[in-house]
Amino acid sequence: MEIIFNDIAIHYQFKDRHDVIEKMKIGIEALLYLRKHDASFKICSGEKLTGLEIAPGYYFPQIFNESHHALNQNYKTAIKTFFVNFNGITCEGDKFIFEGIESVQCGLAYKKNGMVFSLGTNDSFIKEKIPGKYTSDGITCETVEIDNISEKKHIDIHWIKLGTKIYEANPKHKANYGWESPMDLNDNEAQYVLGRAVIAGDEEKHLIAKYQNIYYSFRCHWKNYYHGYQDNSMPEDMKRRLTNIPPIT
């Protein structure tokens, strides 16, 4: 999964140092949540955040000098991962325009029916959709909206487009407790396997996987939430599907 960084946001500033820290935390929590449920998740941009003044008198590198109490090392590492070590992208001529500011990155996101991640430097960037204009030729414009993520609640709003799959244990499959086929994996392991499971049939309501020589089924019980269980008795044609793909390690 790839999300394009909203570079229009860096044309604005946070209110002050406190605003930087609090909104960075909110954004990072959303990105870490996406990474947890999709190990391939990436933020893409044409350039890195380096020496920018992101609040009056406060520059981006100062984030890494904040005390552990204000911003712990996990946040700092994530900020470096997502905002310094961007995945590069090549943009075309399509442009998204917000309050007169043009962005080919956001233009690419709209053209691909993708979405952007925004830092909360403007009230419009903390909403699930960002309004603006789109032009593919630099002459004609249309009024559009881009799907946006700036905090965790937006992930639940955009779950279909994101395609995230979230494991949620069901008590009836608890080992030595439930009355159904047991799930012997803990929640983190199950999430890991779910993220690598394949479709059993014609729809994503039923996913299957083989992990450490055990077969598993995952069933969608609500939106993009799945529960799972051991399923060594699954039909042979499903097992054959799993033998033709790289094993989960």
Side-chain angles (χ1 to χ4, degrees):
M1 179 205 313
E2 295 184 350
I3 294 179
I4 294 176
F5 179 69
N6 172 15
D7 58 338
I8 296 176
I10 60 178
H11 287 262
Y12 298 81
Q13 292 185 334
F14 294 102
K15 295 175 184 177
D16 51 32
R17 167 185 169 274
H18 176 76
D19 196 39
V20 170
I21 293 171
E22 292 309 306
K23 287 182 178 173
M24 275 287 186
K25 286 180 179 178
I26 291 171
I28 286 297
E29 286 168 3
L31 296 178
L32 288 175
Y33 187 81
L34 285 170
R35 174 64 63 83
K36 176 182 177 182
H37 295 96
D38 184 345
S40 67
F41 170 68
K42 301 171 183 176
I43 288 283
C44 301
S45 181
E47 58 184 276
K48 301 177 180 180
L49 298 185
T50 52
L52 291 172
E53 185 178 11
I54 55 177
Y58 189 96
Y59 292 81
F60 181 74
Q62 291 177 250
I63 289 174
F64 303 107
N65 297 324
E66 291 289 347
S67 69
H68 182 77
H69 175 74
L71 197 69
N72 67 40
Q73 190 57 46
N74 289 337
Y75 281 119
K76 291 177 184 177
T77 299
I79 289 170
K80 185 171 291 185
T81 298
F82 290 119
F83 301 141
V84 177
N85 301 323
F86 277 130
N87 273 66
I89 53 173
T90 301
C91 299
E92 302 171 8
D94 306 81
K95 296 177 182 177
F96 179 80
I97 306 165
F98 177 84
E99 294 186 347
I101 302 171
E102 299 180 351
S103 168
V104 291
Q105 289 188 185
C106 294
L108 179 63
Y110 180 78
K111 180 181 180 180
K112 287 186 168 184
N113 191 32
M115 59 178 55
V116 296
F117 172 84
S118 300
L119 296 173
T121 54
N122 180 292
D123 287 346
S124 292
F125 302 152
I126 60 175
K127 297 178 181 178
E128 66 268 23
K129 291 181 181 289
I130 302 174
K133 302 285 186 179
Y134 170 76
T135 178
S136 59
D137 58 11
I139 301 172
T140 57
C141 290
E142 59 179 309
T143 299
V144 300
E145 291 181 318
I146 296 182
D147 289 335
N148 178 55
I149 290 177
S150 64
E151 53 187 290
K152 279 178 67 175
K153 71 178 183 181
H154 296 150
I155 296 171
D156 195 45
I157 292 171
H158 299 308
W159 67 273
I160 294 177
K161 181 175 283 190
L162 285 168
T164 52
K165 299 175 180 64
I166 301 171
Y167 179 75
E168 188 173 66
N170 187 319
K172 72 180 184 180
H173 294 294
K174 186 176 180 180
N176 301 317
Y177 174 80
W179 48 270
E180 294 284 355
S181 301
M183 168 54 85
D184 59 326
L185 304 177
N186 63 40
D187 288 356
N188 288 334
E189 289 176 312
Q191 180 64 58
Y192 175 81
V193 177
L194 170 61
R196 291 152 180 81
V198 300
I199 299 173
D202 298 327
E203 56 177 325
E204 291 194 16
K205 295 287 186 181
H206 182 198
L207 305 180
I208 55 175
K210 185 179 182 181
Y211 179 61
Q212 296 181 346
N213 293 317
I214 298 176
Y215 292 95
Y216 293 92
S217 275
F218 294 91
R219 301 279 185 171
C220 181
H221 55 266
W222 180 66
K223 292 173 66 173
N224 57 330
Y225 287 80
Y226 289 75
H227 64 275
Y229 51 90
Q230 291 183 20
D231 194 6
N232 286 314
S233 62
M234 72 172 56
E236 289 301 318
D237 61 327
M238 291 186 187
K239 289 182 177 180
R240 283 194 294 272
R241 290 196 63 194
L242 294 172
T243 61
N244 295 327
I245 61 174
I248 299 173
T249 58

